Amino acid sequence: MAKHKEDLHQEFIKGIWRDNPVFVQVLGMCPMLAVTNTAVNALAMGAATFFVLVGSSFLVSSLRLWIPRQVRISTYIIIIATFVTVTDFTLEALVPKIHKELGAFIPLIVVNCMILGRQEAFASRNSVRLAVMDALGMAAGFLFALLSLGTVREILGEGKLFGFSLFGPDFEPWVIMILPPGGFLTLGLLLLFFSWVKERKQRLEQRLTQLESEAQ
Amino acid sequence: MSSSRNTHVGKGDPGSLKLIATLSFAGLLSGLIIVLAYETTLPTITAYKAKVLEEAVFKVLPGVTSMQRLVYRDRALTVNDQVQKGDEAIFSGFDASGRLVGYAIPGAGPGFQDTIRLLYGYIPEQRKISGMEILESRETPGLGDKIYKDPAFVANFESLSVDPEIRAIKKGKPKAASDIDAITGATISSKAVVRIINEANRLWLPRLEQASGPEAER
């Protein structure tokens, strides 16, 4: 029982850190670069993807015994596209301003490879509980990545965070940060940072085992 | 990624009938859900769009307290509140005493990235533009989006002569009454706005003059 619980926990945690869809798997780059010019846009995009991924994983996993192998990809796409379309209409009705800013990138969630990837690699082979935990973790990881990029770019590019001015009127915004090159730049630096952290951790562990064996 | 072994369902191959049935069922269900979502959200979305347009009319025509929708058909302007596809419509604005102040004219055209849709106020007595509001645009954030985010650019259109023709001029150059300051770094977006207004002027100003007989008055 305890092991089972740990499994669920593991499936959730891995998406946020160890297997983060953006920083580790480098998936879903298109929305990652395109709509992270402000933190609010990043948040809305993350939330929309969250809903689509969790909903699709739940459905795909519950229907996994009924979907014939030969048409599974088409069925996954139909499921994902339905969730995306519903999200699109809902956002337009509830938060029209943000919907306008995100533009074409909401419909493009359909082709986010991270989502289809999770269906094929995980949801279609695991129980509903595991699939939902996995989806929650991956979606949270994606949201976290979008938000880190959006925050950095908005602070440097506009001197604001969530629309509030941070540095007063004398701040000269670093305009390139909210343009596409700024997206690549920030993403590159963040990837660098994450691999550095990973490498450092590995080296520490190596060192630890070394010390232990020396002590013996 | 996927192994050649049959890790999914597969005890033997399902017949093609089953494959077709599965996909048809998924498509049908998906269609139903989408239509349901569309129907549920449509009233909110239409209401919001109408509200945005109405607010824009009052913004571009200062001093206006009531408005009418006019449709150009058979070389005449008639009051018509029924929105129909393909309508060529403008809005007339009246002040508190019921006097005609001016018209709000919509325009659209290509911007730097996508179609820009805007609305501007026109005061026939002075042959002047009284304000401009961008309704829809996907201009570059930080540069092109200054066509609605930069108050200094928007203020250009607050009392702008339409004769002979509006031009976007670099900041600091001498200007006529019909010239505006282009945004530094977003010349294409600024010029697009100017071009859209000029085109709408060429289309509507003759029509307004021609119709400024009895029909246009209340």
Side-chain angles (χ1 to χ4, degrees), chain A residues 10-208:
Chain A
Q10 267 301 310
E11 297 305 342
F12 179 68
I13 289 297
K14 74 166 193 269
I16 298 178
W17 193 256
R18 204 188 69 225
D19 286 340
N20 186 296
V22 176
F23 295 134
V24 179
Q25 303 182 48
V26 202
L27 290 176
M29 285 300 106
C30 171
M32 192 68 209
L33 293 165
V35 296
T36 52
N37 46 13
T38 66
V40 174
N41 286 359
L43 194 65
M45 189 66 193
T49 314
F50 196 98
F51 171 70
V52 174
L53 179 56
V54 174
S56 310
S57 277
F58 172 74
L59 260 190
V60 165
S61 177
S62 6
L63 299 174
R64 71 187 188 283
L65 297 177
W66 286 281
I67 300 175
R69 216 184 92 76
Q70 289 84 345
V71 293
R72 66 183 193 283
I73 304 277
S74 350
T75 317
Y76 301 161
I77 287 289
I78 293 176
I79 291 174
I80 297 169
T82 312
F83 275 107
V84 170
T85 315
V86 170
T87 313
D88 191 23
F89 288 138
T90 314
L91 282 182
E92 192 172 5
L94 293 182
V95 280
K97 286 209 174 97
I98 290 177
H99 180 268
K100 211 173 121 187
E101 292 262 318
L102 295 182
F105 290 100
I106 295 280
L108 282 177
I109 297 176
V110 179
V111 290
N112 187 325
C113 48
M114 176 197 61
I115 296 179
L116 187 59
R118 285 340 281 167
Q119 310 314 319
E120 172 69 8
F122 200 92
S124 61
R125 297 150 197 251
N126 286 290
S127 71
V128 178
R129 285 210 318 188
L130 282 179
V132 168
M133 278 328 257
D134 169 74
L136 284 172
M138 284 292 161
F142 192 65
L143 182 72
F144 163 66
L146 280 168
L147 206 58
S148 2
L149 211 65
T151 313
V152 172
R153 290 178 69 187
E154 189 178 353
I155 291 177
L156 295 178
E158 288 191 84
K160 294 176 184 168
L161 187 59
F162 288 104
F164 296 106
S165 214
L166 290 181
F167 309 116
D170 291 333
F171 177 72
E172 181 60 40
W174 202 7
V175 175
I176 195 167
M177 293 312 282
I178 45 173
L179 298 178
F184 283 102
L185 220 64
T186 318
L187 181 63
L189 290 175
L190 281 174
L191 284 175
L192 193 70
F193 173 73
F194 274 86
S195 37
W196 176 71
V197 169
K198 206 171 142 192
E199 215 181 271
R200 214 176 70 127
K201 203 180 144 198
Q202 274 172 356
R203 227 179 294 147
L204 267 174
E205 274 166 7
Q206 249 172 28
R207 189 79 200 280
L208 224 76

Side-chain angles (χ1 to χ4, degrees), chain B residues 32-118:
Chain B
L32 280 177
I33 295 172
I34 289 175
V35 170
L36 194 73
Y38 176 72
E39 293 289 340
T40 327
T41 51
L42 189 64
T44 328
I45 295 171
T46 340
Y48 175 77
K49 281 192 175 153
K51 202 185 101 205
V52 168
L53 188 66
E54 192 170 307
E55 276 173 4
V57 170
F58 290 123
K59 237 186 243 174
V60 298
L61 286 171
V64 160
T65 54
S66 65
M67 60 180 258
Q68 272 182 340
R69 186 170 179 275
L70 301 174
V71 174
Y72 185 80
R73 205 173 288 153
D74 305 326
R75 323 198 72 210
L77 281 168
T78 41
V79 178
N80 189 342
D81 280 329
Q82 243 61 48
V83 178
Q84 272 174 0
K85 234 187 166 177
D87 263 358
E88 290 190 275
I90 60 170
F91 305 89
S92 55
F94 303 89
D95 65 11
S97 59
R99 199 180 59 87
L100 176 78
V101 176
Y103 300 96
I105 306 174
F112 186 62
Q113 291 189 341
D114 202 350
T115 306
I116 298 177
R117 280 184 54 235
L118 55 77

